[in-house]
Structure formats: structure tokens, C-alpha cells
Amino acid sequence: MSRTSITELFRNNREWAREVHEADPDFFAKLAAQQSPEYLWIGCSDSRVPANQIVGLLPGEVFVHRNVANMVVHTDFNCLTVLQYAVDVLKVKHVLVVGHYNCGGVRAAYEDADNGMIDNWLRNIKDVQFAHQEKFDALDSDDEKVDLLCELNVMSQVANVCRTTIVQNAWARGQQLDVHGWIYRLKDGLLRDLNCSANSVEQIPEMYRVISKHSDLATLR
């Protein structure tokens, strides 16, 4: 990136700050004092999928974690730390797992190319494809199969969020927390609900449930 373009970013920042201050003189003072978002957004790193703008919310209203292909991997302590802070400290009421169609990470996993180290990360998506292979066999075009994999990947990551001890402990102590799976279409800017939401441990397969210190065995059965 050139020096001129960096300078332009600072110019844009000053203009944005001026416009926000004119619209709400107290905005930055309130934002600096605290953050109290109701939403955690777990999304893809793709630059075309900005969390706040898509849902029309301001800074401070969405807590955001992004990685390649909107993954929730149980050994990814970066993601788990964000999730725990959002749930335990910020007390968000909704976790939004948001993928998008024609995701480059998902396509790379589907195409089996040698992309280097990232292929180890994308193996998690191959697991999703393997588990639903009959659905892919029923489709004709690669584009259809990639879009299906984008959807199934979101649904799988919703399940992974729900299977964490973080979310299950929150539910066990009676905390309101809904986990949703959405997908974004770049062509028209619209979100679609994949109807895989969960808000209780009863929606998790029994083998994935944990015995929380906040509840007894009977609650989990």
C-alpha cells in the first residue's frame, strides 16, 4: 500500500469522526465509557462482509470475531477467548455465526488444491463435506456444491458454539443466550436465516453435554 493511500485512510477517519460527532456530540464519550453489545458476530475475514454495516448497527453494538471461513474450532483459543469474554463478561444475548456464499475458504476446501498451511485449517470444512457427501452427490454444478458447503459449514459452526463449555455453562446458570446461523449473499447484500438456532442444552446431542457446576444431572437429561 502506498504512502498516499495510508494518508487517505487518516483523512477518511477524520471525516468519519467529524460526521459522527455532528450527528451525536456525546457518541464517542459514551463509547469510551463502556461497551455493552447484545451481539457476538462470528464471521469470515472476507473484506466484503463487514459486520456492523450489514445489520445497520453502530460501533459498540456488535462484538466481532472473524477468521477464514467463520470457523469455531474447539482448539482455537483465540475464538474461545472471544466467545468467553462476550458471554461471561459482556453478557451478549445472541451469538451470530455468519457465513457467506462463494466463500474463498470454503471453495478452497472443496477444490482440494494445495494452498499450503491453510489447508490444515480448512480440513475442518472437509469434515463437514464428508459428513454430508450424499447431498453433494445430488447436485450437478460445483458452484451449487460450494454454496451448499457454505450453508452446512455455518450450521456446523453453530453446533460447535453450542457444544462449548462456555455456552453450556451460561445456559445452566439461566443466562439468556441464543445462537444463530446466518448466511450472506454478496450479490444482493441480503442475509438469510438458516433456521439452526439454539437456546438450550436440550438442543445438543447428549454426548456433547457437559455436567455444569451450575446445574444438576437432572437438568441435563
Side-chain angles (χ1 to χ4, degrees):
M1 186 174 285
S2 69
R3 186 182 183 88
T4 301
S5 60
I6 290 293
T7 302
E8 186 68 20
L9 293 181
F10 280 99
R11 186 180 300 116
N12 293 345
N13 168 249
R14 289 191 294 271
E15 179 64 18
W16 171 79
R18 183 188 63 78
E19 291 175 356
V20 172
H21 179 73
E22 287 181 354
D24 182 359
D26 297 323
F27 178 80
F28 289 112
K30 291 183 291 187
L31 193 65
Q34 66 174 351
Q35 63 168 335
S36 54
E38 293 192 0
Y39 308 96
L40 167 62
W41 176 289
I42 300 176
C44 183
S45 298
D46 193 301
S47 61
R48 300 167 295 176
V49 191
N52 289 71
Q53 291 93 323
I54 287 175
V55 288
L57 295 177
L58 294 170
E61 295 183 310
V62 186
F63 199 58
V64 178
H65 175 77
R66 298 171 70 174
N67 59 47
V68 173
N70 43 271
M71 303 290 293
V72 179
V73 181
H74 292 132
T75 53
D76 178 5
F77 290 103
N78 184 359
C79 181
L80 294 180
T81 299
V82 171
L83 179 62
Q84 182 170 23
Y85 187 79
V87 172
D88 293 351
V89 179
L90 298 177
K91 306 294 185 184
V92 299
K93 292 182 173 62
H94 302 273
V95 177
L96 313 173
V97 181
V98 185
H100 65 98
Y101 290 111
N102 198 26
C103 176
V106 173
R107 183 173 290 276
Y110 172 79
E111 291 178 346
D112 296 321
D114 184 355
N115 299 289
M117 185 183 69
I118 193 174
D119 289 329
N120 297 285
W121 177 258
L122 299 179
R123 282 293 174 266
N124 296 285
I125 301 174
K126 296 298 291 184
D127 292 340
V128 176
Q129 181 182 351
F130 180 78
H132 299 275
Q133 190 58 52
E134 72 286 351
K135 296 180 180 178
F136 294 93
D137 293 340
L139 298 175
D140 295 324
S141 74
D142 286 340
D143 286 344
E144 287 179 303
K145 293 178 182 180
V146 170
D147 281 350
L148 173 62
L149 188 52
C150 289
E151 294 175 356
L152 293 173
N153 182 52
V154 169
M155 297 169 73
S156 178
Q157 305 319 312
V158 168
N160 286 344
V161 171
C162 295
R163 293 167 186 174
T164 64
T165 57
I166 299 163
V167 168
Q168 291 188 51
N169 284 336
W171 285 336
R173 61 179 177 259
Q175 185 173 334
Q176 178 189 344
L177 184 64
D178 291 77
V179 185
H180 310 272
W182 298 350
I183 193 159
Y184 177 71
R185 191 180 299 278
L186 295 166
K187 292 179 180 179
D188 57 20
L190 296 178
L191 286 164
R192 175 188 168 202
D193 189 345
L194 292 175
N195 297 314
C196 56
S197 299
N199 58 17
S200 72
V201 72
E202 286 75 20
Q203 294 167 277
I204 305 172
E206 189 169 355
M207 71 174 62
Y208 290 107
R209 301 178 191 177
V210 297
I211 306 302
S212 171
K213 63 183 178 182
H214 301 284
S215 50
D216 56 30
L217 270 169
T219 304
L220 298 177
R221 285 179 177 169

